[in-house]
Amino acid sequence: MFQQHGYKTHEFRSWVATHFSSKIITAEHLLYNTVILAIITFFAEQLTFLSGIIIMTVLTLFWFGPAGKFRSDREKKPLVFTPRVKRLTATLAVLILPLYYFFGGFIFSSELFILSQNIQDPAGNFFTADPYFLGFLLCFVDILIPFLIFPAAWIMKPVENSIQNGFKKQAREKIASMPHLKVIAITGSYGKTSTKFVIDSFLKERLNVCVTPGSYNTPMGICKVINNDLESHHQVLILEMGARYEGNIRELCAIAKPDISVITNVGISHLETFGSREAVAREKSTLARALDPGGTLILNGEDEIVKEMGAERSELKRILIGENHQQVWATNRSVDADGTQFTMNWQNGKLQSADIKTRILGDHHIQNVLLAAAVAREFDIRIETVAIAASNMEPVEHRLELKKQGDLTIIDDAFNSNPVGARNAVDILASFDTGRKIIITPGMIELGDLEEEENRAFGEYIGASGIDLAILVGEEQTQPIREGIESNQTESKPEVRTVPTLFKANDLLSEYARPGDVVLYENDLPDSYNE
């Protein structure tokens, strides 16, 4: 869990507080100690020392031996033993050993231990510790381990900072050694990854491109790509820059200063950590401020906040996509279950147009294509080439990705967690005219004070969409969605079922679904949100 929370102690502290009774001091700990107390109270005088050792050994192995029972049945993202985890584990071990030493001294001086040494038992000549207190010690240290992660992390923080600074320096030096390299940076509340891959699809038609894979958008993720994958023949480096706190993008720009900045939108994602939409906008606009004079800033002109970014910098080349700005825009939009079609127009000395047909689903993806086309235009790639590249694009993994699973049609939108994209995904599910329509979702998170309101609105949208079944993952998390669905008083509202985990949702789906049904997986939360 510490790894899943990005090794951030304050986020891990919140998880510990939330899961204190289920993961820290559990029913197993209490029952184990109750058994020890019962043995000491009622049976210690009747049992020989050897019997006590055998009983406690069997009990301990039975209780704590099969570690798998303390983990989720099927973890979505298991612990990865990275070098950082290994360093943390070693530090944790150093902290645990003194505990055993301290409590061991207490055990050796306990009255029960002294009593056991006076018992005429051959085992007393070979064993030198009270088995009952040893059992308690094992249980007590097991309870302490989550709390010991905090000092272990604090001790290792200077070491980790030094290691990370080394990676950052290596990345900066590598980019400095490639003066011909053009760096494109993309940020926004959503659509970053999809836009990044569309830009890659357009540019690689004419250029050698290095792009970060998946959702690599953190300092170490970007450094890993630059240090390991960027080569001297590459002409363009495409980086996705994510942010959960103010200052994150400035840190990323210090590693790789952009020549072209792309800002997709300002939404309400990560309001839990930013606090307000204004703070989100300030952070995203860092990409506009990071450009040197003469740099290119490409903005979503249909976003009222984004279109004003960089307006005070007359030395930048600002390009706004959208019909109101007549620089790069779309007309004749058409979206259905087979893909997306529209006419793309751009001004490049003269008006040029091309019909775009892509298998990528969703009206909101047109914005991503227009942003990518604006980038391609800066590299003098023809609009006809862009149209051909768009027709060959594959859907981005886990972002409205259409696939077959036996006789079922799956719309995999597991990596989408914003209100606009979620409603678009529901529209796409509703557009299918075959089979029953099923949505599986845990709702949306990290929306701050708006989280409950947005999830309830999402439920209302689902309730009015004509979907047949809504499988909600997580009782407490999805309660607002259920309320929103049930607020629809018509007979067309979907059946609602709630399950604790995604795996249980899949089990329910296998019982309910029949050939020809269409299933939308909308968002997927990490293990830290499992109930």
Side-chain angles (χ1 to χ4, degrees):
M1 287 300 108
F2 189 52
Q3 186 179 65
Q4 283 201 18
H5 284 91
Y7 306 104
K8 294 179 175 63
T9 53
H10 63 284
E11 293 189 13
F12 181 65
R13 182 172 63 247
S14 297
W15 180 86
V16 168
T18 304
H19 296 81
F20 192 82
S21 61
S22 61
K23 300 290 186 181
I24 311 302
I25 300 180
T26 66
E28 284 84 359
H29 290 122
L30 298 177
L31 287 172
Y32 180 78
N33 283 308
T34 300
V35 171
I36 293 176
L37 182 62
I39 293 174
I40 292 174
T41 304
F42 300 107
F43 303 108
E45 293 185 1
Q46 287 78 30
L47 293 173
T48 65
F49 191 53
L50 180 60
S51 299
I53 291 171
I54 293 173
I55 290 171
M56 289 308 304
T57 301
V58 171
L59 178 64
T60 303
L61 289 175
F62 170 77
W63 223 284
F64 295 105
K69 73 176 183 178
F70 297 101
R71 294 194 296 263
S72 301
D73 291 340
R74 292 165 286 186
E75 293 171 303
K76 288 183 280 186
K77 190 176 180 182
L79 175 67
V80 179
F81 276 91
T82 62
R84 181 169 186 170
V85 168
K86 292 175 183 177
R87 290 190 294 269
L88 183 66
T89 304
T91 307
L92 194 61
V94 170
L95 294 177
I96 291 172
L97 289 175
L99 285 177
Y100 280 115
Y101 181 81
F102 173 78
F103 286 108
F106 174 75
I107 290 169
F108 294 140
S109 62
S110 72
E111 291 184 7
L112 279 175
F113 170 68
I114 295 170
L115 176 64
S116 69
Q117 293 302 293
N118 293 329
I119 296 175
Q120 297 300 315
D121 191 319
N125 297 322
F126 301 98
F127 298 98
T128 58
D130 183 86
Y132 310 114
F133 274 80
L134 275 176
F136 171 77
L137 172 61
L138 287 169
C139 186
F140 182 69
V141 173
D142 186 68
I143 291 172
L144 283 181
I145 283 176
F147 301 100
L148 292 175
I149 285 177
F150 292 101
W154 293 328
I155 290 169
M156 290 304 296
K157 189 172 183 178
V159 176
E160 299 301 336
N161 286 344
S162 177
I163 292 171
Q164 290 185 15
N165 287 336
F167 288 136
K168 291 176 184 177
K169 181 181 178 183
Q170 182 183 353
R172 286 194 296 268
E173 290 175 348
K174 190 167 189 178
I175 289 177
S177 70
M178 301 173 64
H180 64 280
L181 185 72
K182 293 293 183 183
V183 177
I184 301 170
I186 307 136
T187 196
S189 293
Y190 47 89
K192 298 183 295 294
T193 305
S194 297
T195 301
K196 174 180 68 178
F197 285 122
V198 180
I199 293 172
D200 177 48
S201 296
F202 292 171
L203 297 191
K204 69 183 181 183
E205 294 290 322
R206 295 288 182 270
L207 302 162
N208 289 317
V209 179
C210 179
V211 60
T212 50
S215 295
Y216 273 46
N217 57 19
T218 62
M220 289 302 98
I222 285 176
C223 285
K224 183 177 180 180
V225 171
I226 294 172
N227 294 333
N228 298 339
D229 300 336
L230 182 64
E231 298 180 0
S232 58
H233 67 272
H234 285 129
Q235 299 165 284
V236 179
L237 173 64
I238 307 174
L239 301 176
E240 175 184 342
M241 294 191 172
R244 296 187 71 238
Y245 299 92
E246 291 197 65
N248 285 167
I249 293 179
R250 183 174 63 251
E251 181 183 2
L252 294 169
C253 289
I255 298 170
K257 193 175 185 67
D259 300 292
I260 299 175
S261 292
V262 181
I263 304 176
T264 62
N265 43 57
V266 171
I268 58 175
S269 298
H270 301 312
L271 276 190
E272 187 177 280
T273 53
F274 279 109
S276 68
R277 194 173 185 183
E278 291 72 24
V280 175
R282 281 197 305 272
E283 183 62 17
K284 303 305 180 185
S285 65
T286 302
L287 272 192
R289 296 189 296 273
L291 288 169
D292 286 333
T296 300
L297 178 60
I298 298 174
L299 304 170
N300 175 12
E302 296 175 343
D303 186 298
E304 293 300 318
I305 297 175
V306 172
K307 72 179 184 180
E308 301 299 329
M309 292 181 180
E312 74 285 356
R313 297 194 61 187
S314 58
E315 76 278 14
L316 297 181
K317 182 178 182 180
R318 294 174 74 248
I319 300 170
L320 282 75
I321 65 107
E323 196 164 356
N324 293 333
H325 305 285
Q326 300 290 298
Q327 291 180 288
V328 181
W329 70 100
T331 53
N332 306 319
R333 298 171 179 237
S334 173
V335 180
D336 55 31
D338 295 322
T340 304
Q341 300 180 54
F342 62 97
T343 301
M344 184 169 66
N345 313 279
W346 74 27
Q347 287 284 356
N348 195 16
K350 62 178 181 178
L351 176 63
Q352 295 178 291
S353 301
D355 291 329
I356 303 292
K357 184 175 182 180
T358 174
R359 286 173 289 170
I360 296 178
L361 301 172
D363 184 77
H364 61 299
H365 278 301
I366 295 176
Q367 167 199 296
N368 305 334
V369 174
L370 293 178
L371 289 166
V375 174
R377 192 183 67 166
E378 291 304 293
F379 288 90
D380 296 324
I381 294 176
R382 296 189 309 147
I383 195 170
E384 294 82 5
T385 303
V386 168
I388 293 170
S391 66
N392 294 327
M393 279 192 305
E394 296 288 338
V396 180
E397 189 177 21
H398 304 307
R399 290 171 174 83
L400 287 176
E401 182 184 9
L402 197 64
K403 54 178 99 168
K404 279 288 187 179
Q405 182 176 302
D407 294 323
L408 301 179
T409 299
I410 304 296
I411 306 171
D412 180 357
D413 202 31
F415 282 9
N416 175 35
S417 60
N418 70 86
V420 175
R423 288 193 291 271
N424 274 307
V426 171
D427 288 341
I428 291 167
L429 175 62
S431 71
F432 280 79
D433 54 10
T434 58
R436 296 175 299 175
K437 303 170 186 65
I438 304 163
I439 182 173
I440 299 175
T441 182
M444 296 168 286
I445 61 169
E446 295 190 345
L447 302 182
D449 294 337
L450 295 177
E451 183 170 306
E452 186 173 332
E453 176 187 336
E454 288 292 341
N455 277 305
R456 185 175 288 105
F458 182 42
E460 293 172 0
Y461 202 81
I462 292 172
S465 66
I467 288 173
D468 297 286
L469 173 65
I471 302 177
L472 308 181
V473 182
E475 183 74 37
E476 183 177 350
Q477 170 70 25
T478 61
Q479 184 60 31
I481 302 178
R482 175 183 281 273
E483 293 171 0
I485 294 174
E486 292 177 347
S487 69
N488 184 341
Q489 300 302 315
T490 66
E491 293 183 0
S492 63
K493 70 180 180 182
E495 177 186 354
V496 181
R497 304 283 292 274
T498 304
V499 294
T501 67
L502 177 63
F503 302 111
K504 296 294 184 183
N506 287 332
D507 292 340
L508 176 60
L509 177 65
S510 65
E511 297 171 6
Y512 178 89
R514 58 192 182 207
D517 287 352
V518 185
V519 184
L520 167 64
Y521 285 89
E522 183 57 29
N523 200 11
D524 183 20
L525 302 184
D527 292 317
S528 54
Y529 285 90
N530 280 354
E531 297 185 7

